[in-house]
Amino acid sequence: MGNRPEELRALLDSVAKQDGDPVQVVVVGNGSPVPEVPEGVRTVELPENLGIPGGRNVGIEAFGPGGSDVDILLFLDDDGLLARTDTAELCREAFAADDELGIISFRIADPDTGETQRRHVPRLRASDPMRSSRVTTFLGGANAVRTRVLTQVGGLPDAFFYAHEETDLAWRALDAGWMIDYRSDMVLNHPTTAPSRHAVYHRMVARNRVWLARRNLPALLVPVYLGVWMALTLLRRPSRPALKAWFGGFREGWATPCGPRRPMRWRTVWRLTRLGRPPVI
């Protein structure tokens, strides 16, 4: 967003220090000018903020149609920092060793405490962030994607703008036969934050949850999935303004176009269930 030049420079320095072949880098200014960057780093400045998925899709296309000029794409938040110098090499090794592996979700850790927030472990059994495993979604600000996945199933859903765009891509990838790994040894240092710091959080989370279900789930599971999430939201007892925004977003999700509907196959539902997260929660 152009407002963290020091953090961005530190991130770029950590990428430049990666072992093995140099990592090509593109910085996307999402509706803002790009601060000064090191020589060799390409930049794209967008005239308006396209949202998280829109900005990342622009970054993908900077590496050719669908990212086809490279084999792997890393997505890193501008206020993050690669904690180790072997992360790129670990990614290369992981994809080379497993032809089914399509996406890797990194572990996000606070740079001061080393702790990983529970919400940053993309599975239901999240008590042990040091345990790597197969998962059913990934973290948008710290991940690696095989470009063949994007060629096959398409990029992130632009219209989502913020929230749940990773799960939309993850479900499409899993339905196409790809797997997703959470790797605790691939670490992005990132300050501990609360997602609700964003003013649009409650509305976008609810709207996009409805869109996610409408786009991807078999018709029988749509009301189950959304009913479970409504119950969980109420159990968390949000403030009155937050709840009002959430229900406004929920209504918006039903009243507005969600994009093309491509419901996953029932065998993918079973696959998600075996991986520990059936698509009803």
Side-chain angles (χ1 to χ4, degrees):
M1 296 301 295
N3 57 354
R4 294 187 286 239
E6 294 181 3
E7 291 88 341
L8 173 62
R9 185 58 184 255
L11 171 65
L12 296 175
D13 289 345
S14 74
V15 173
K17 292 175 183 176
Q18 292 298 299
D19 302 333
D21 294 335
V23 178
Q24 299 178 50
V25 179
V26 169
V27 176
V28 178
N30 208 350
S32 66
V34 176
E36 183 179 351
V37 296
E39 184 178 354
V41 173
R42 290 184 287 160
T43 62
V44 179
E45 293 187 354
L46 303 177
E48 62 177 311
N49 183 357
L50 300 182
I52 294 173
R56 287 181 180 151
N57 284 335
V58 169
I60 292 170
E61 295 301 312
F63 293 98
S68 56
D69 290 349
V70 294
D71 296 322
I72 304 167
L73 285 163
L74 275 65
F75 298 89
L76 304 171
D77 274 356
D78 64 350
D79 56 345
L81 180 77
L82 290 176
R84 297 166 43 158
T85 62
D86 63 349
T87 302
E89 282 288 83
L90 289 173
C91 284
R92 296 183 183 108
E93 292 169 4
F95 285 118
D98 186 350
D99 289 338
E100 290 186 334
L101 182 61
I103 302 172
I104 299 173
S105 188
F106 298 178
R107 181 167 65 89
I108 294 179
D110 185 275
D112 297 322
T113 66
E115 294 182 0
T116 296
Q117 290 180 271
R118 187 180 182 89
R119 69 184 181 90
H120 284 152
V121 183
R123 58 178 179 244
L124 290 179
R125 296 178 179 178
S127 60
D128 182 8
M130 300 307 294
R131 179 173 67 87
S132 300
S133 69
R134 295 284 202 199
V135 290
T136 61
T137 188
F138 64 99
L139 305 175
N143 66 79
V145 181
R146 195 191 295 266
T147 51
R148 282 166 48 202
V149 174
L150 302 171
T151 301
Q152 184 174 359
V153 307
L156 296 157
D158 286 347
F160 278 44
F161 197 84
Y162 166 79
H164 303 318
E165 66 274 3
E166 303 92 354
T167 300
D168 187 270
L169 175 57
W171 282 1
R172 285 182 281 127
L174 288 163
D175 196 47
W178 296 100
M179 300 300 291
I180 305 170
D181 278 356
Y182 165 74
R183 288 283 297 263
S184 64
D185 57 338
M186 301 181 188
V187 183
L188 184 82
N189 282 341
H190 188 284
T192 298
T193 57
S196 56
R197 70 191 185 280
H198 299 292
V200 297
Y201 172 76
H202 295 287
R203 180 176 70 86
M204 292 290 194
V205 162
R207 184 198 68 179
N208 292 358
R209 184 81 69 184
V210 176
W211 280 359
L212 180 68
R214 290 175 58 197
R215 285 163 57 92
N216 295 287
L217 290 180
L220 287 175
L221 292 185
V222 172
V224 179
Y225 177 80
L226 295 177
V228 167
W229 278 103
M230 181 178 288
L232 288 173
T233 299
L234 294 173
L235 285 171
R236 290 168 178 167
R237 304 182 70 176
S239 66
R240 185 179 295 273
L243 196 60
K244 181 179 179 181
W246 192 93
F247 274 106
F250 191 84
R251 287 191 295 270
E252 184 182 348
W254 286 108
T256 53
C258 64
R261 174 168 164 76
R262 299 187 181 96
M264 65 178 65
R265 294 165 293 181
W266 282 102
R267 71 179 183 183
T268 303
V269 173
W270 174 236
R271 189 183 200 189
L272 288 162
T273 303
R274 286 190 294 111
L275 287 170
R277 189 153 199 163
V280 294
I281 187 170

